[in-house]
Amino acid sequence: MGWVTLSLRKMTLKQRISNLEYRLIQISQEQQTLANQSSYAQRYLGMMQNQSLSQLNVDKLNYLKQARSSSGNSSDYQSQLNLQSALDEINLNYSFEKMNMESVFQAQQDSMLQEINAKQQQLELEQEQIQTQLAAARAEEEQMSQAMDQDIKNGAIKLV
């Protein structure tokens, strides 16, 4: 091959290498964006869970006040038994609601993390493929440079 043809191929390879390097930079930025979104989403879910738990605690306290005020200051055995039964029911409902709420938030977090992990794996796979292509393009560019050097040496005028 002539050095002109080799030169054109080398320019094409340099453009390909540049495009692959640019895509690697884009993938890196996408991975950083994904990490940031994950962090923000986890903080948001944590905040929502804390807010829901706070509201659940406020509701529990209101129910406890209401149960105590409805029983009055009566000290007879039946009213004490009714109060204890109401308190037990409030505590049981609270535990059930808290467990249910935690389950919902955990499911949301698991779903979000699963989606993020899938995107992350996709980006990592693409990154590996591009790195392989980049290594091949660089190796071919090096071969083109050596072939050009050899072609120039072979075509040089030799003075005897």
Side-chain angles (χ1 to χ4, degrees), residues 17-70:
I17 289 170
S18 178
N19 290 342
L20 290 171
E21 288 173 339
Y22 179 69
R23 183 61 189 137
L24 283 176
I25 290 170
Q26 287 178 322
I27 289 173
S28 177
Q29 289 172 340
E30 288 176 29
Q31 288 173 326
Q32 184 61 43
T33 300
L34 198 59
N36 288 343
Q37 288 174 343
S38 171
S39 176
Y40 294 144
Q42 285 180 337
R43 279 193 237 148
Y44 175 76
L45 282 175
M47 182 185 71
M48 293 303 294
Q49 185 174 1
N50 287 339
Q51 187 178 19
S52 296
L53 186 60
S54 294
Q55 184 60 46
L56 192 61
N57 285 331
V58 167
D59 291 346
K60 178 185 174 184
L61 289 175
N62 288 337
Y63 290 137
L64 290 172
K65 277 186 199 175
Q66 189 178 26
R68 287 195 174 114
S69 67
S70 68

Side-chain angles (χ1 to χ4, degrees), residues 87-144:
L87 295 177
D88 289 344
E89 186 177 338
I90 290 169
N91 286 328
L92 185 63
N93 286 338
Y94 170 80
S95 296
F96 176 75
E97 289 295 326
K98 183 179 176 188
M99 191 172 63
N100 191 25
M101 181 191 64
E102 289 171 349
S103 168
V104 167
F105 280 105
Q106 186 63 46
Q108 287 177 336
Q109 185 174 8
D110 290 347
S111 174
M112 179 194 67
L113 290 177
Q114 188 176 20
E115 183 179 329
I116 289 171
N117 286 338
K119 287 179 184 178
Q120 183 67 25
Q121 287 175 349
Q122 179 185 9
L123 288 173
E124 287 172 2
L125 180 62
E126 184 180 357
Q127 186 176 31
E128 287 176 22
Q129 291 170 345
I130 289 174
Q131 287 172 340
T132 301
Q133 293 174 16
L134 187 59
R138 285 181 177 155
E140 188 178 348
E141 180 192 23
E142 182 61 33
Q143 288 175 345
M144 289 295 124

